[in-house]
Amino acid sequence: MTFRCAMGLWLAAAVVVAQLAGTAEADVPMDGIFVADDSCPALQSIRKGTNPDLTITGPGLRYRLLAKNQPKPSHYRIEVPGAKPAERWVKVSCGHVEPKDAAAAAPAKPSAGSAPDFVLAITWQPAFCEAHGRKPECLFQTQTRFDGSNFALHGLWPQPSTKAYCGVSPEERTAAKTGRWQKLPKLDLSQRTAVELKEAMPGAQSHLDRYEWTKHGTCYPARDPETYYRDSLRLLRAVNGSPVRDLFAAGIGREIRSADIRRAFDTAFGTGAGDRVRIVCRDDGARRLISEITIGMKGNISGGTKVSDLILASDPTNPGCPGGVVDPVGLQ
């Protein structure tokens, strides 16, 4: 073997070793909790952008944190229960990191409170439509339409987050997870509930109502869509009839702070209610928009328990986003 050939082989081997070493160094182990502040794709591969089962993070949900992709990361590797494979990559901007022992280090909480039985997720629809303008519910949104100045229903989620798809067939579970929501069965609702839901949940135009029932409603204690959505609408009406909605309606086009939102919840539902609320934001260019609010609740919703009692019975939670713009209708 000539010297030149030997040198060439040595250099090639050195390059491979360096690449392997670089790959090993790029994946930096972490030990903590990733709390999602938004719904984001959970990728199998950052480079390829693959997410064949359309797994997404849930705002306010907590995931085991495994690693970051480099010392100054663009993505975190997390564990998503139920996903195959469970280890996924999400953008750093999708949420925030908490220490593994954050709960143990937190101040003592009121003895009356405990982990939520449910999370009510309500959306500020104009902010959602900034990123999903081609969806049917966003094409014809106007300032005078209900969701132009009121909160829209995203869903009522039994807790813990792993409680999902109860008694759902493999075919329906697959349709839900792959975004083929039109394939899910039509819901059996009374005319009154169907009419109110059509207004309060604009996403029903994209069959969000079928998806939320399939994933979350099937685990609701009543186990029928009429009760599930009738209860969800009652909770939404309470928020939209409160100083919380008034704060947003008066603040359209400007920034409001999470502290002010939490204070409005205190005014509406009793001192401490705001501590059970998490604010979810998303970036739109140079603007940070408030896109959603999640509210912890505990108790018998179907039994008519007051909304204030349901909220105050739950534990305090992280406030999430510190504040953002209340987006007006239309692309900004």
Side-chain angles (χ1 to χ4, degrees):
M1 181 181 292
T2 66
F3 174 78
R4 180 177 296 178
C5 181
M7 180 61 73
L9 290 173
W10 182 87
L11 288 173
V15 168
V16 171
V17 171
Q19 288 176 338
L20 290 174
T23 301
E25 290 176 2
D27 193 354
V28 182
M30 297 183 71
D31 187 22
I33 300 296
F34 177 80
V35 183
D37 293 330
D38 205 347
S39 298
C40 303
L43 305 176
Q44 292 183 16
S45 168
I46 301 173
R47 182 173 61 84
K48 297 180 180 178
T50 51
N51 186 16
D53 55 359
L54 301 180
T55 296
I56 60 174
T57 57
L61 300 186
R62 301 163 67 84
Y63 301 89
R64 181 185 169 204
L65 181 61
L66 303 173
K68 53 187 176 181
N69 66 320
Q70 54 192 11
K72 292 185 178 179
S74 63
H75 290 74
Y76 291 130
R77 182 154 56 90
I78 63 173
E79 184 177 70
V80 182
K84 294 183 179 180
E87 294 188 8
R88 299 297 181 99
W89 292 100
V90 293
K91 288 185 176 180
V92 169
S93 59
C94 181
H96 62 278
V97 174
E98 293 182 354
K100 197 172 184 178
D101 58 351
K109 298 170 182 175
S111 58
S114 58
D117 287 341
F118 310 95
V119 168
L120 176 69
I122 57 177
T123 300
W124 189 254
Q125 194 72 8
F128 171 83
C129 288
E130 288 286 359
H132 302 89
R134 293 185 179 275
K135 282 187 170 288
E137 60 267 33
C138 296
L139 288 174
F140 303 106
Q141 190 185 35
T142 65
Q143 292 180 348
T144 57
R145 203 171 78 175
F146 174 85
D147 55 297
S149 58
N150 288 276
F151 292 105
L153 177 64
H154 181 170
L156 180 61
W157 305 334
Q159 296 299 296
S161 59
T162 51
K163 186 184 288 187
Y165 298 110
C166 297
V168 173
S169 70
E171 294 78 14
E172 291 179 12
R173 182 190 291 249
T174 298
K177 287 189 172 184
T178 57
R180 294 181 291 119
W181 301 347
Q182 75 279 7
K183 299 290 186 180
L184 297 172
K186 186 177 180 180
L187 302 181
D188 183 16
L189 300 175
S190 68
Q191 183 178 5
R192 177 177 178 178
T193 299
V195 169
E196 186 176 358
L197 186 63
K198 182 179 179 181
E199 179 180 66
M201 180 186 266
Q205 295 180 53
S206 297
H207 307 295
L208 176 64
D209 55 337
R210 301 184 192 186
Y211 170 77
E212 289 293 318
W213 162 253
T214 301
K215 182 175 182 180
H216 301 290
T218 53
C219 300
Y220 193 66
R223 297 293 176 90
D224 71 272
E226 173 68 23
T227 304
Y228 174 68
Y229 277 117
R230 188 176 63 233
D231 289 351
S232 299
L233 290 167
R234 176 173 79 91
L235 302 176
L236 180 70
R237 284 197 301 271
V239 179
N240 277 330
S242 77
V244 179
R245 180 266 174 186
D246 295 344
L247 174 67
F248 272 69
I252 292 176
R254 62 181 178 84
E255 185 172 340
I256 58 177
R257 300 177 304 163
S258 63
D260 295 326
I261 299 170
R262 286 183 142 204
R263 200 156 28 243
F265 269 93
D266 283 350
T267 301
F269 303 107
T271 301
D275 293 335
R276 278 78 180 166
V277 170
R278 186 190 300 272
I279 315 303
V280 181
C281 296
R282 58 172 299 272
D283 291 333
D284 180 53
R287 301 186 306 156
R288 171 155 289 186
L289 307 178
I290 299 174
S291 58
E292 191 156 86
I293 296 177
T294 59
I295 311 158
M297 297 190 176
K298 186 175 182 64
N300 186 355
I301 297 175
S302 296
T305 304
K306 292 171 57 178
V307 176
S308 56
D309 292 342
L310 291 168
I311 296 174
L312 291 170
S314 182
D315 265 357
T317 187
N318 185 291
C321 173
V325 173
V326 181
D327 196 39
V329 169
L331 298 179
Q332 309 302 311

